[in-house]
Amino acid sequence: MSDQNKILVIDDDDIFLYTASFAINQANPNVSIITSNNGEDALTKAESFNPKAIFVDLNMPIMSGWEFLDELAKKDKWYSVPIVIVTSSIDWDDKQRAKNHPLKPSFVEKPLSADKIRQLDIPNF
Amino acid sequence: MDHLHEILSSPSKVIFFSLDKDYQYLIFNQNHKNTMNHIWGVEIEKGQSMLAYISSEQDRKKAKSNFDRALAGEEFTVVEEYGDENINRFFYEDFYSPLKNDKDEIIGLTVYVIDVTDRMKTARKVEENENLLKSINKNLSEGIFHSDMNGMVYVNEAFARMFGYETPEEMYQIKISDIYEDPADRNTLIEVLKSDSSYEKREVNFRKKNGSVFVGLLSCKSYTDEHGNLYWDGSISDVTLLKESERKIRENEQLLKSINHNINDAIYRSEEGKGIIYVNDAFVKMFGYSDFNEIKQVHPSMLYANPKDRDLLGDLLVEKGLVSDMEVQFQRKDGSLFWGSLSSICAYHNDQMIIYDGAIRDITVQKEIKEKVKRQAEMKDILMNISMNYLSIPIEDIPLEINKSLEMIANFASADRAYSYDIVEERTSGKGTEEWCAAGVASLKENDQDFPVQIFKVISAHFAKGAPIVFSDTTEVKLDEYQQFLKRHQIKSLVTVPIMFDGNCMGYVGLHFVHDYQEIKEDVIEILTLFAEIMVLIINRIKSRKELDNLLDVKTRQNERLKDFSFILSHNIRASVANLMGLLNIQKEQPANSEINEMLSKTADRLNITLFNMSELINLEKDIENLTLVDCDVLWHLHHSIELNKSVVDNKSADIQIDSPDQVVVKGFPAFLDSIFNNLITNALKYGVEGDSNQIEIKVSMHGSRCLVEVKDYGLGIDLPRHEDKLFKLGARFHSEYADGQGLGLYMTKKQVEALGGEIAVESELNRGSTFKVWLNV
């Protein structure tokens, strides 16, 4: 498996990471999934694995999903990578913030399923 | 013939000669012979023609003409003058008569010449005197008379004219007593003359020919001639006109006096170089002097409030000739000032002397009314300004605005300090006094600790009636302590008006006068009273705004908590449900996966915790709404919370120390205090007791009306610069190792502390530990 087929999933909820990994592989068995349960750890992993897509939860301790995205936006290379915010409820404020965010993240509501992932239109997925 | 001879040779001054028809001497006397010799140098002889002796042809012709008239039968007299009039003048009277014979035939003529020089000279003098008298009579307006017991002997023409007669002669016919208005006056006057022999300018009423009466000034002298006859000489001048003028003058004087007495305008005349030369009574009175002499003593410029005004006025008058209704401020004798409206004209006398006539009307009252109207308008402006401003400004700007208003009012009243005191504000925020001080005037706002509080009762009782306190002179203040206070702060005059609402005194507004004593005017009390009314509105606005703010605050917090509540609901519950769905999806695909069951049970547990937390939040909400504060023993609750965590303390070998006064009681809600302390101790045990750092220090201290409880640990700590703003927020978690935490503890703690009127803060450093500080009200 090349680097091109890595997907980064970030959430402090281990059970979600488990179910998310299952759903992503259901949609595409050829991608390998890297999980992280906080933003800081995720930044390091993103740098080293160069995932082709990133799924991130917003509500996390230490570094929230938004803080993680703000850090990510400091590097141009992430502008071409699909970013998906996965949340248990889509807040209107968050939606606005996403619209104005340079990385233009899209939204998916939990639980993550193979169908929802397929509809995300991630290139070469 | 003897007689004739005697005549002929007499040395008297008679000349006699007689001529025949041929002008030849028939006879002549010695005087004629001498005279002819004297004049013509001839020795005349009988029988010789007289004409032949006269060598001057003119004289000869004249002589012949006279001789011929006598020869023609005429008897006549001729007066002849000879010689120099000034040195030696002779007058001769020549009697010519024809010489007749017995038959009455003219045979010649006779001439007598008598020297009449003496007689002529006397006559001349009489004539001259008469002419002089005539001239005097004609030109003299004074009537002159000469009278005796019988009547007028002489009066001049003026006398006759004076009495309305045509000629003096006409007057000689009348009875003298008739020229008197009262005929008895004559005898009275004669009696006076008998004793005094003369009098001068006695005023007598005379009667004219036509019966009208005039006033004459009679001067008269009596004398007695050698025969014992009594005469009177005198003069009368008609003073009717003079009397009339005098009467008119007197009338005018009376009028002037009356004007002086009755008009209020001050009138004056001043002359350049001399100063004031006339003023009327009103002037004297207006300037507060006792008489004109006193005014003359002072320099005219002293009559002006500003002495330079006089020069300015003078220049203006010289330039324009007049000023009218000019408003000038004058100075009275006692130094007090008044406003006058001055009108004056400047006149030249003899091209040089400048005279200023002027009138001054005291317009103090008009000025006062004008000033009053002006002040009313000013007051209206200020009040409009004030009331408009308060409508539009935010509550927090009100103190500043009150300050501005106080400044406006102080300026209006010329006060040195203006202040407002608001009891309501004082009760709620400990503030309530606003103050404005003029430059150089000390503030009393923070500096009135020496105010004699015992007099508050008296003042409050006064204010309760809604009446202002006014002292134009604070030395009149009766209460000793109060007077001393005012004296210490150099308050010379003061006015204080209560702020009344619904019959209650809500505070007061007032003015202090430090520099001078100030008569507190009605309009000052009025503007303060109106400002006090505005203050009522302001205070009520602040009050209702505060109530509204409080309500809003309560509602906002409630709303925040509801939002938090819904966050838990939507996030935590949904997250758990999402996990359940995800797990069930996996279980469908991998029925034999044993991990799934474990995870399903974990998710169920978490859901249970969430639901428990929700009920906690609902209880918190209920508790906050129905909070009743009671006295709580801080130490007891601390020990209780430690006791609850005993198993953890023992497990982690934590060392909890309490440093506290023996007894600390705060206003609280027992369940909240337990929850607050329990949470802080639990957190300290969870994140603060790690390995060697097993110390937990609890310190209780008093700070005025507040009690501070500090819980300090030396554990993980929090990266405050990064997390401070979300530390107490719902769902905030800082330690990923403890991901089961739902971020409820500190959130609940903060809400509970705030519900008790307290505050919570944290000091922390990553890996060094944390100190949570809770302030509670005693």
Side-chain angles (χ1 to χ4, degrees):
Chain A
M1 269 195 293
S2 72
D3 280 356
Q4 292 299 313
N5 287 326
K6 287 195 178 79
I7 303 278
L8 178 59
V9 184
I10 312 151
D11 197 321
D12 66 323
D13 183 346
D14 290 340
I15 296 172
F16 171 75
L17 290 177
Y18 186 83
T19 57
S21 304
F22 185 84
I24 293 166
N25 278 140
Q26 248 186 340
N28 184 350
N30 295 324
V31 294
S32 71
I33 293 154
I34 297 143
T35 60
S36 172
N37 55 15
N38 73 62
E40 274 177 355
D41 174 64
L43 276 177
T44 317
K45 285 181 172 161
E47 272 306 313
S48 45
F49 296 108
N50 285 316
K52 65 184 282 177
I54 297 170
F55 289 79
V56 63
D57 182 28
L58 290 178
N59 183 33
M60 291 184 292
I62 303 177
M63 183 186 257
S64 75
W66 282 119
E67 285 172 307
F68 167 77
L69 290 178
D70 289 344
E71 280 300 312
L72 216 58
K74 288 173 184 170
K75 284 193 171 170
D76 288 349
K77 65 173 176 180
W78 301 114
Y79 284 63
S80 53
V81 175
I83 311 288
V84 181
I85 291 172
V86 190
T87 175
S88 48
S89 67
I90 298 170
D91 185 275
W92 193 83
D93 288 345
D94 287 335
K95 249 193 154 147
Q96 285 305 111
R97 193 166 169 183
K99 243 187 207 170
N100 298 321
H101 201 275
L103 296 178
K104 305 283 172 208
S106 50
F107 272 92
V108 168
E109 212 165 319
K110 289 179 183 179
L112 211 52
S113 66
D115 282 348
K116 283 182 187 169
I117 293 163
R118 281 188 204 104
Q119 282 168 22
L120 282 171
D121 195 23
I122 297 167
N124 307 317
F125 192 74
Chain B
M1 261 329 266
D2 284 347
H3 183 61
L4 182 65
H5 189 260
E6 200 173 307
I7 291 171
L8 289 175
S9 56
S10 77
S12 76
K13 285 179 175 173
V14 177
I15 288 171
F16 167 77
F17 61 90
S18 188
L19 302 175
D20 61 15
K21 282 176 122 178
D22 297 323
Y23 319 113
Q24 289 169 355
Y25 283 110
L26 295 173
I27 190 168
F28 53 84
N29 70 350
Q30 191 58 40
N31 260 347
H32 181 64
K33 187 179 158 62
N34 295 346
T35 304
M36 286 299 283
N37 180 258
H38 180 75
I39 297 170
W40 304 112
V42 292
E43 283 296 330
I44 57 170
E45 284 170 35
K46 282 181 194 169
Q48 294 298 313
S49 165
M50 184 182 173
L51 294 179
Y53 289 120
I54 298 170
S55 48
S56 155
E57 190 174 337
Q58 199 189 337
D59 287 346
R60 194 168 55 239
K61 271 185 182 167
K62 195 174 147 196
K64 185 179 180 285
S65 152
N66 284 333
F67 295 161
D68 289 345
R69 279 174 66 191
L71 290 173
E74 192 180 352
E75 226 171 78
F76 62 95
T77 308
V78 175
V79 176
E80 280 181 310
E81 283 174 55
Y82 299 98
D84 191 315
E85 191 181 355
N86 294 325
I87 302 163
N88 195 10
R89 195 172 187 93
F90 300 99
F91 294 90
Y92 298 97
E93 209 164 34
D94 305 346
F95 296 98
Y96 289 87
S97 58
L99 187 66
K100 296 176 180 173
N101 60 12
D102 298 338
K103 293 173 186 167
D104 213 24
E105 290 165 346
I106 295 171
I107 54 164
L109 64 120
T110 309
V111 179
Y112 291 93
V113 177
I114 300 165
D115 182 347
V116 290
T117 302
D118 288 343
R119 204 188 83 200
M120 282 307 286
K121 273 187 178 166
T122 308
R124 273 283 166 92
K125 212 155 218 170
V126 169
E127 193 186 355
E128 274 172 15
N129 284 344
E130 267 179 358
N131 283 340
L132 184 67
L133 205 61
K134 238 178 215 165
S135 162
I136 288 171
N137 264 349
K138 265 196 185 141
N139 297 318
L140 205 66
S141 60
E142 216 165 337
I144 292 170
F145 67 91
H146 175 70
S147 65
D148 59 19
M149 287 307 282
N150 299 319
M152 286 297 169
V153 175
Y154 169 80
V155 299
N156 67 351
E157 285 178 24
F159 193 98
R161 275 201 305 277
M162 201 178 280
F163 283 87
Y165 293 88
E166 296 290 324
T167 59
E169 286 73 21
E170 208 183 334
M171 292 201 77
Y172 303 151
Q173 317 299 323
I174 61 164
K175 251 168 78 187
I176 291 192
S177 59
D178 284 350
I179 67 165
Y180 294 88
E181 185 193 23
D182 178 3
D185 279 357
R186 181 165 192 246
N187 285 329
T188 313
L189 289 168
I190 289 170
E191 287 306 309
V192 172
L193 284 171
K194 273 182 182 162
S195 52
D196 287 346
S197 88
S198 76
Y199 49 72
E200 291 238 324
K201 293 184 177 171
R202 184 171 286 258
E203 215 176 283
V204 180
N205 288 350
F206 293 103
R207 190 182 292 283
K208 290 190 185 181
K209 186 183 175 187
N210 65 7
S212 66
V213 172
F214 70 94
V215 184
L217 275 187
L218 178 66
S219 297
C220 195
K221 192 171 178 169
S222 69
Y223 60 90
T224 314
D225 68 6
E226 62 269 31
H227 306 295
N229 294 322
L230 204 53
Y231 292 94
W232 296 283
D233 280 338
S235 66
I236 299 173
S237 49
D238 185 346
V239 290
T240 308
L241 280 176
L242 191 69
K243 292 298 280 186
E244 185 69 13
S245 307
E246 270 178 4
R247 190 181 60 78
K248 268 192 179 147
I249 288 168
R250 264 201 304 277
E251 266 177 20
N252 285 342
E253 274 175 353
Q254 201 62 42
L255 186 65
L256 201 63
K257 219 173 205 175
S258 163
I259 286 171
N260 258 348
H261 274 299
N262 298 317
I263 64 166
N264 298 318
D265 285 13
I267 291 168
Y268 67 89
R269 165 171 284 193
S270 67
E271 199 180 302
E272 197 170 60
K274 274 194 188 170
I276 297 175
I277 54 171
Y278 169 80
V279 300
N280 66 348
D281 290 351
F283 190 104
V284 173
K285 205 169 137 195
M286 195 180 283
F287 283 83
Y289 289 86
S290 46
D291 55 34
F292 178 38
N293 285 332
E294 227 180 30
I295 294 176
K296 279 196 283 190
Q297 304 301 314
V298 302
H299 191 272
S301 63
M302 291 302 290
L303 300 172
Y304 292 78
N306 179 7
K308 278 185 182 164
D309 280 358
R310 183 170 180 260
D311 298 334
L312 294 175
L313 183 70
D315 293 346
L316 198 66
L317 273 170
V318 169
E319 188 197 335
K320 302 211 163 168
L322 66 92
V323 296
S324 52
D325 296 328
M326 196 166 121
E327 285 187 7
V328 181
Q329 204 178 15
F330 294 100
Q331 181 173 245
R332 296 194 190 91
K333 183 186 172 187
D334 63 8
S336 62
L337 307 177
F338 69 95
W339 280 98
S341 170
L342 184 142
S343 298
S344 179
I345 55 165
C346 161
Y348 291 87
H349 262 238
N350 306 331
D351 293 337
Q352 275 183 333
M353 189 168 73
I354 299 178
I355 281 185
Y356 303 103
D357 283 335
I360 300 166
R361 194 155 32 88
D362 188 340
I363 51 166
T364 308
V365 174
Q366 290 96 308
K367 265 290 231 218
E368 270 171 12
I369 291 169
K370 221 165 133 186
E371 186 65 18
K372 216 170 185 174
V373 169
K374 207 180 116 199
R375 278 177 73 83
Q376 287 279 346
E378 207 178 312
M379 189 160 95
K380 203 189 88 196
D381 281 355
I382 291 175
L383 289 168
M384 282 288 282
N385 207 331
I386 290 173
S387 52
M388 293 294 283
N389 285 354
Y390 287 108
L391 284 177
S392 54
I393 56 162
I395 295 282
E396 51 273 23
D397 291 346
I398 282 181
L400 188 75
E401 202 56 43
I402 291 177
N403 248 292
K404 279 193 212 159
S405 305
L406 290 172
E407 182 180 355
M408 279 191 256
I409 291 167
N411 286 334
F412 176 78
S414 308
D416 302 308
R417 187 187 294 119
Y419 63 95
S420 71
Y421 173 67
D422 163 8
I423 293 167
V424 180
E425 179 74 9
E426 210 263 347
R427 273 188 205 131
T428 55
S429 72
K431 290 183 274 180
T433 305
E434 294 302 331
E435 185 192 47
W436 176 87
C437 296
V441 174
S443 164
L444 264 191
K445 191 174 171 181
E446 313 290 349
N447 196 26
D448 62 348
Q449 294 88 349
D450 58 341
F451 187 83
V453 282
Q454 63 269 31
I455 71 141
F456 249 129
K457 239 185 191 170
V458 186
I459 293 177
S460 301
H462 190 85
F463 280 151
K465 289 181 244 158
I469 292 177
V470 179
F471 281 106
S472 292
D473 177 357
T474 52
T475 58
E476 287 167 6
V477 171
K478 295 278 189 311
L479 298 158
D480 277 351
E481 302 96 329
Y482 190 32
Q483 205 203 90
Q484 280 158 20
F485 169 81
L486 295 169
K487 208 171 172 184
R488 266 199 302 281
H489 295 285
Q490 298 170 321
I491 298 165
K492 293 195 170 77
S493 307
L494 69 85
V495 52
T496 313
V497 172
I499 300 170
M500 300 298 291
F501 181 63
D502 272 355
N504 295 315
C505 175
M506 299 170 87
Y508 39 86
V509 289
L511 297 171
H512 288 162
F513 300 84
V514 176
H515 288 124
D516 296 303
Y517 288 99
Q518 182 89 22
E519 187 63 38
I520 307 296
K521 290 191 189 126
E522 271 306 310
D523 57 7
V524 169
I525 298 173
E526 201 180 338
I527 196 170
L528 276 177
T529 307
L530 291 167
F531 181 59
E533 280 170 23
I534 294 173
M535 280 298 289
V536 171
L537 301 176
I538 295 165
I539 292 169
N540 281 337
R541 189 186 155 203
I542 295 175
K543 225 166 93 180
S544 52
R545 176 63 190 269
K546 276 203 171 137
E547 281 166 7
L548 195 68
D549 281 354
N550 278 339
L551 191 66
L552 192 67
D553 209 35
V554 168
K555 290 294 161 196
T556 305
R557 284 175 198 220
Q558 233 167 35
N559 199 38
E560 269 171 19
R561 292 196 298 269
L562 280 171
K563 257 170 92 180
D564 294 340
F565 189 82
S566 88
F567 170 82
I568 294 283
L569 191 72
S570 64
H571 192 272
N572 290 17
I573 294 178
R574 279 194 69 100
S576 294
V577 170
N579 280 352
L580 281 177
M581 287 167 77
L583 288 169
L584 289 172
N585 176 42
I586 299 169
Q587 200 180 41
K588 222 174 7 181
E589 298 288 325
Q590 305 171 343
N593 192 336
S594 58
E595 278 179 300
I596 300 296
N597 281 337
E598 201 186 315
M599 281 191 265
L600 276 172
S601 127
K602 206 173 163 187
T603 304
D605 283 348
R606 212 183 276 175
L607 196 56
N608 191 38
I609 292 170
T610 301
L611 291 173
F612 172 78
N613 285 343
M614 276 179 63
S615 72
E616 284 281 286
L617 284 172
I618 290 167
N619 286 336
L620 172 73
E621 195 63 32
K622 268 197 221 152
D623 289 341
I624 288 174
E625 275 174 29
N626 306 303
L627 208 56
T628 319
L629 298 183
V630 293
D631 285 343
C632 299
D633 183 342
V634 171
L635 284 177
W636 188 90
H637 285 283
L638 277 171
H639 285 295
H640 181 67
S641 299
I642 293 166
E643 201 57 38
L644 285 176
N645 288 283
K646 197 175 185 310
S647 59
V648 185
V649 173
D650 290 346
N651 237 344
K652 290 197 148 187
S653 308
D655 178 12
I656 302 182
Q657 300 290 329
I658 298 180
D659 174 13
S660 166
D662 290 342
Q663 177 107 25
V664 181
V665 177
V666 295
K667 286 269 179 276
F669 183 59
F672 278 14
L673 280 184
D674 282 338
S675 169
I676 291 163
F677 294 152
N678 185 42
N679 235 312
L680 294 181
I681 290 165
T682 308
N683 276 350
L685 286 169
K686 209 187 255 180
Y687 310 115
V689 179
E690 285 285 316
D692 294 342
S693 57
N694 65 338
Q695 288 280 319
I696 295 176
E697 293 164 10
I698 299 175
K699 193 178 171 190
V700 182
S701 55
M702 296 301 300
H703 300 270
S705 62
R706 307 201 105 186
C707 164
L708 172 62
V709 180
E710 295 165 274
V711 180
K712 185 179 175 73
D713 68 59
Y714 297 90
L716 294 172
I718 303 160
D719 186 356
L720 276 185
R722 193 162 155 196
H723 299 302
E724 198 165 21
D725 56 335
K726 54 188 175 188
L727 195 60
F728 295 101
K729 283 195 174 150
L730 191 61
R733 287 158 298 147
F734 306 97
H735 307 283
S736 50
E737 307 88 290
Y738 303 93
D740 57 327
Q742 294 201 337
L744 194 72
L746 282 177
Y747 169 83
M748 291 265 291
T749 302
K750 184 172 162 71
K751 298 292 166 205
Q752 286 163 340
V753 169
E754 285 173 352
L756 298 179
E759 282 175 78
I760 184 165
V762 64
E763 288 169 4
S764 184
E765 213 176 313
L766 205 55
N767 300 321
R768 285 281 176 89
S770 309
T771 306
F772 280 87
K773 296 181 169 186
V774 174
W775 283 273
L776 297 165
N777 291 328
V778 175

